[in-house]
Amino acid sequence: MYEFTIIVPVYNEEENLDRVEKELLAYTKIATKPTCILFVNDGSKDNSQQMIETICSRNKAFGFINFKENRGLSAAIKAGFDNVTTEYVGYIDSDLQTAPEDFNLLLEHSGTYNLVTGVRADRKDSFVKNMSSTIANGIRRAFTHDGMDDTGCPLKVIKTEYAKRIPMFKGLHRFLPAMILLQNGTVLQIPVRHFPRVAGTAKFGVWNRLIGPLMDCFAYLWMKKKYINYEIENKG
């Protein structure tokens, strides 16, 4: 019935979930591919899970996964990848600083590219947040040579067969384009809109955006050296 699943990682976002429901439900009506929504509740301590269950009970295109305890963004995305059955999978942050409607811009190229990622144009974040992200992206590009300007953009579309082969570990959500390239896949970046956070609080500080990604680059280099990639010609 569906061709595209949007993963929505959630951690203590009760102030945003009513808006998430409204905007994602509206998007499903204009999406260029039949679309469903998969919440992944990453062990929230607030009322997020109860709200998610209520949202899913009244919207047949919405479902959820609920973690027993907090495991981080990469784990939430990985759980989503593991559980989707549609041809394409994407994700968006529950703070909705990017617009669901812009998924259509990415889907235009999904038949040609194995991963299409947004690039946040005219970012509406603080100077410190923007600067730390710029530095982190520059460091990551130097290690991965993936050519991507904004891997932290929470708006991506991936062919599910490629997403399921990504060996995720904590922090690797920033390296999704590089991991697709390791599979000899193709990647493309498209400018998308960006908005200020209107509710809730950011879950990442300077450590998460700068020091952490630097350490993850060495993990990526190790994985690149050890990565196993193969194609099956036929079966019998």
Side-chain angles (χ1 to χ4, degrees):
M1 180 176 178
Y2 300 109
E3 298 177 16
F4 178 45
T5 301
I6 299 174
I7 298 168
V8 186
V10 175
Y11 181 62
N12 295 342
E13 292 285 1
E14 62 180 3
E15 297 176 3
N16 279 312
L17 287 174
D18 285 337
R19 180 166 159 252
V20 168
E21 176 189 17
K22 179 181 178 181
E23 294 203 18
L24 287 177
L25 182 61
Y27 173 69
T28 62
K29 298 176 181 179
I30 63 167
T32 54
K33 294 184 184 295
T35 299
C36 60
I37 313 299
L38 178 62
F39 290 107
V40 182
N41 182 23
D42 184 21
S44 295
K45 305 300 184 184
D46 61 2
N47 198 42
S48 291
Q49 180 57 27
Q50 291 84 349
M51 295 183 69
I52 287 171
E53 291 184 21
T54 299
I55 291 169
C56 293
S57 69
R58 62 191 178 214
N59 297 289
K60 66 178 182 179
F62 287 61
F64 71 86
I65 296 171
N66 182 30
F67 280 6
K68 187 174 181 179
E69 56 190 14
N70 177 247
R71 289 299 185 183
L73 179 57
S74 290
I77 294 171
K78 171 63 172 167
F81 288 171
D82 288 344
N83 284 275
V84 300
T85 58
T86 52
E87 182 179 1
Y88 298 94
V89 60
Y91 81 89
I92 188 171
D93 281 352
S94 49
D95 59 19
L96 290 184
Q97 287 191 257
T98 48
E101 295 86 353
D102 286 349
F103 272 121
N104 284 347
L105 299 176
L106 308 187
L107 287 169
E108 286 181 24
H109 306 276
S110 60
T112 305
Y113 293 88
N114 305 120
L115 177 147
V116 187
T117 182
V119 178
R120 290 167 287 189
D122 190 23
R123 287 185 63 174
K124 301 297 192 297
D125 289 322
S126 67
F127 173 79
V128 171
K129 186 174 180 180
N130 286 337
M131 185 57 63
S132 61
S133 293
T134 298
I135 295 171
N137 276 303
I139 294 172
R140 178 195 43 70
R141 276 196 308 274
F143 276 79
T144 65
H145 305 288
D146 61 7
M148 299 290 104
D149 297 315
D150 184 17
T151 59
C153 179
L155 203 70
K156 291 179 173 62
V157 174
I158 311 173
K159 289 183 178 177
T160 300
E161 61 178 305
Y162 282 79
K164 287 183 178 293
R165 292 200 297 262
I166 295 173
M168 296 284 284
F169 62 83
K170 188 174 182 179
L172 201 64
H173 60 274
R174 302 181 185 92
F175 294 81
L176 291 177
M179 298 307 296
I180 298 299
L181 291 174
L182 283 186
Q183 300 179 44
N184 297 322
T186 52
V187 300
L188 178 70
Q189 54 185 1
I190 298 291
V192 297
R193 294 170 291 169
H194 189 247
F195 307 93
R197 176 184 269 271
V198 299
T201 57
K203 308 302 187 294
F204 295 96
V206 173
W207 170 268
N208 304 93
R209 296 191 185 94
L210 190 56
I211 308 302
L214 175 60
M215 297 172 62
D216 293 339
C217 284
F218 293 100
Y220 167 78
L221 290 181
W222 176 88
M223 182 170 291
K224 181 178 181 180
K225 184 178 180 180
K226 302 290 186 179
Y227 187 73
I228 296 172
N229 189 42
Y230 63 88
E231 295 182 31
I232 296 175
E233 183 172 351
N234 53 41
K235 294 182 181 180

